[in-house]
């Protein structure tokens, strides 16, 4: 079993709290440069007054996690939100500036119709996509480049949002940027990390992998940079999570960590205690390994056979969610 070292554990804990917030972000629109402490306080006031919002038991626990986490981390409490975006496809992403001038970029989990996008990402189907790049991530003049690759619409949207946000916020070229996300958000975070030189660290919570064709495309495009970039990508998952094992992993084996969970096996808050601390590490669970074996067999089939199976299964998830 891989054990987290102290600094990475601290970083992972902070990013996990931000990712819990993403599932409550729709309940209150934060002000520009508002502190995370103030954002959480507003959410609490919203809950007390209800403000026409429905608060499930899980939402209440998420709020409790946020409140308690801020008691133990001034770095979190005093961070300020720089941007929050909800796109037409309901991709939700935000960035936080911390007191030490480091930056956290967070992508929310599966949005509208993104289960289908998950299936497309695992199918190995090649598509033409448009990427937006900014010189040094600064300034408003960008150039669009069209690639014929195996990226999905949601993955490309995430990378383009990241590039534009870096330019809009004026992030310095040497800024310490951590990109993270849960579930589909974790997959987007990985995609941004492997396709951009800007992030110094990527933390994927329950985020799935990629098709073999996509990984080969990354390798061919990046050359020697491929291995270097993937070494900065880490996976954190509940012991029996069934999503992080889908597809072929971009994350190196030594960068994968599993945790005991509660209240479900694929919820961001399930690997956190009420105090906002990551639960104890453990071995990968039996259910997770079972799904991993099935997914591994599927990834070995030709794309023309895999595509209808992957998109069909994800269509069922889309219907239920």
């Amino acid at each position: 079993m891989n054990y987290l070292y102290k600094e990475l554990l601290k970083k992972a804990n902070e990013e996990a709290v931000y990712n819990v917030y993403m599932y409550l972000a729709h309940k209150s629109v934060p002000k520009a440069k508002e502190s995370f402490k103030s954002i959480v306080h507003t959410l609490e006031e919203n809950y007390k007054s209800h403000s026409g919002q429905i608060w499930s038991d899980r939402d209440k626990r998420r709020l409790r996690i946020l409140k308690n986490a801020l008691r133990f981390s001034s770095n979190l409490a005093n961070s300020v939100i720089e941007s929050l975006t909800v796109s037409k496809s309901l991709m939700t992403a935000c960035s936080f500036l911390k007191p030490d001038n480091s930056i956290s970029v967070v992508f929310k989990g599966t949005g509208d119709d993104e289960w289908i996008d998950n299936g497309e990402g695992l199918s190995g189907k090649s598509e033409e996509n448009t990427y937006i790049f900014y010189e040094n991530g600064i300034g408003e003049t960008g150039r669009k480049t069209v690639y014929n690759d195996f990226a999905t619409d949601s993955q490309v949207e995430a990378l383009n949002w990241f590039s534009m946000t870096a330019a809009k916020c004026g992030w310095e070229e040497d800024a310490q940027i951590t990109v993270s996300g849960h579930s589909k958000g974790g997959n987007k975070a990985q995609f941004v990390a492997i396709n951009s030189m800007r992030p110094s660290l990527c933390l994927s919570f329950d985020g799935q992998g990629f098709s073999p064709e996509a990984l080969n495309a990354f390798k061919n495009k990046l050359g020697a940079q491929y291995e270097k970039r993937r070494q900065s990508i880490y996976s954190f998952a509940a012991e029996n999570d069934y999503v992080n094992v889908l597809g072929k992993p971009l994350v190196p084996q030594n960068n994968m960590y599993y945790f005991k969970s509660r209240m479900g096996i694929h919820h961001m808050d399930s690997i956190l205690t009420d105090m906002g601390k990551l639960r104890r590490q453990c071995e990968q669970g039996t259910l997770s390994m079972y799904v991993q074996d099935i997914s591994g067999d599927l990834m070995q089939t030709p794309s023309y056979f895999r595509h209808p199976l992957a998109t069909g299964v994800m269509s069922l998830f889309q219907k239920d969610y």
Side-chain angles (χ1 to χ4, degrees):
M1 182 169 68
N2 300 327
Y3 285 96
L4 281 164
Y5 57 87
K6 186 176 181 181
E7 285 305 311
L8 182 57
L9 176 62
K10 179 181 177 181
K11 174 67 73 172
N13 220 134
E14 290 182 349
E15 297 304 316
V17 173
Y18 283 139
N19 277 273
V20 169
Y21 162 70
M22 296 302 285
Y23 288 95
L24 295 178
H26 65 284
K27 292 185 178 293
S28 178
V29 179
K31 302 171 186 174
K33 300 293 184 181
E34 186 173 6
S35 72
F36 195 39
K37 177 170 61 177
S38 174
I39 291 171
V40 174
H41 176 72
T42 301
L43 284 172
E44 184 177 19
E45 292 301 309
N46 176 297
Y47 164 63
K48 289 179 179 178
S49 65
H50 294 291
S51 300
Q53 299 274 5
I54 297 175
W55 285 77
S56 65
D57 288 341
R58 184 171 296 281
D59 286 339
K60 295 172 188 176
R61 182 171 184 269
R62 287 166 175 161
L63 179 59
R64 188 160 63 248
I65 287 172
L66 296 182
K67 288 171 54 183
N68 289 331
L70 296 188
R71 293 168 48 199
F72 300 105
S73 174
S74 61
N75 206 37
L76 279 174
N78 296 319
S79 61
V80 297
I81 194 164
E82 285 193 307
S83 61
L84 174 62
T85 298
V86 180
S87 72
K88 291 181 180 179
S89 67
L90 296 188
M91 179 194 80
T92 304
C94 70
S95 65
F96 291 92
L97 177 64
K98 295 181 179 178
D100 60 4
N101 289 321
S102 65
I103 297 160
S104 289
V105 174
V106 192
F107 292 99
K108 184 178 176 289
T110 309
D112 189 40
D113 290 335
E114 285 193 327
W115 282 107
I116 306 298
D117 193 85
N118 288 342
E120 292 288 345
L122 298 174
S123 71
K125 180 182 176 182
S126 179
E127 294 186 359
E128 192 174 83
N129 289 289
T130 302
Y131 296 84
I132 302 173
F133 293 95
Y134 290 84
E135 290 187 11
N136 298 325
I138 301 171
E140 293 298 332
T141 57
R143 61 183 176 85
K144 293 186 177 181
T145 307
V146 177
Y147 289 100
N148 190 34
D149 61 12
F150 300 90
T152 70
D153 291 342
S154 290
Q155 290 166 348
V156 173
E157 181 183 24
L159 179 59
N160 286 342
W161 177 87
F162 178 84
S163 297
M164 290 186 287
T165 301
K168 179 181 177 181
C169 295
W171 296 341
E172 298 294 337
E173 190 172 358
D174 60 350
Q176 293 296 303
I177 302 172
T178 298
V179 58
S180 70
H182 173 249
S183 192
K184 180 68 172 181
N187 178 265
K188 291 175 183 177
Q190 293 177 58
F191 186 82
V192 169
I194 200 67
N195 285 288
S196 172
M197 66 178 66
R198 299 301 305 277
S200 52
L201 185 65
C202 172
L203 306 183
S204 173
F205 295 94
D206 294 338
Q208 70 268 32
F210 298 82
S211 69
E213 293 83 0
L215 294 186
N216 285 331
F218 297 156
K219 293 175 185 177
N220 293 335
K221 183 167 66 174
L222 295 172
Q225 281 291 313
Y226 174 75
E227 282 300 328
K228 181 179 179 181
R229 290 186 187 181
R230 70 189 290 259
Q231 290 301 322
S232 68
I233 303 175
Y234 293 80
S235 172
F236 303 88
E239 80 273 28
N240 273 312
D241 177 65
Y242 48 82
V243 172
N244 79 98
V245 292
L246 298 178
K248 288 186 70 68
L250 173 63
V251 182
Q253 182 66 38
N254 288 339
N255 289 359
M256 295 181 179
Y257 302 93
Y258 286 89
F259 298 84
K260 283 292 183 182
S261 65
R262 57 158 289 186
M263 295 180 67
I265 53 181
H266 187 64
H267 293 285
M268 182 61 239
D269 49 292
S270 69
I271 60 172
L272 290 168
T273 68
D274 280 7
M275 291 295 104
K277 298 292 185 181
L278 283 168
R279 294 182 176 276
R280 68 179 178 86
Q281 282 187 243
C282 63
E283 299 283 358
Q284 182 181 9
T286 303
L287 174 61
S288 180
M289 289 190 287
Y290 177 69
V291 176
Q292 180 175 296
D293 287 343
I294 295 175
S295 175
D297 290 341
L298 181 61
M299 290 303 107
Q300 294 182 42
T301 62
S303 178
Y304 66 82
F305 179 80
R306 191 189 329 139
H307 181 265
L309 286 176
T311 54
V313 170
M314 291 303 167
S315 295
L316 296 176
F317 277 98
Q318 182 69 46
K319 183 179 179 180
D320 290 340
Y321 281 78

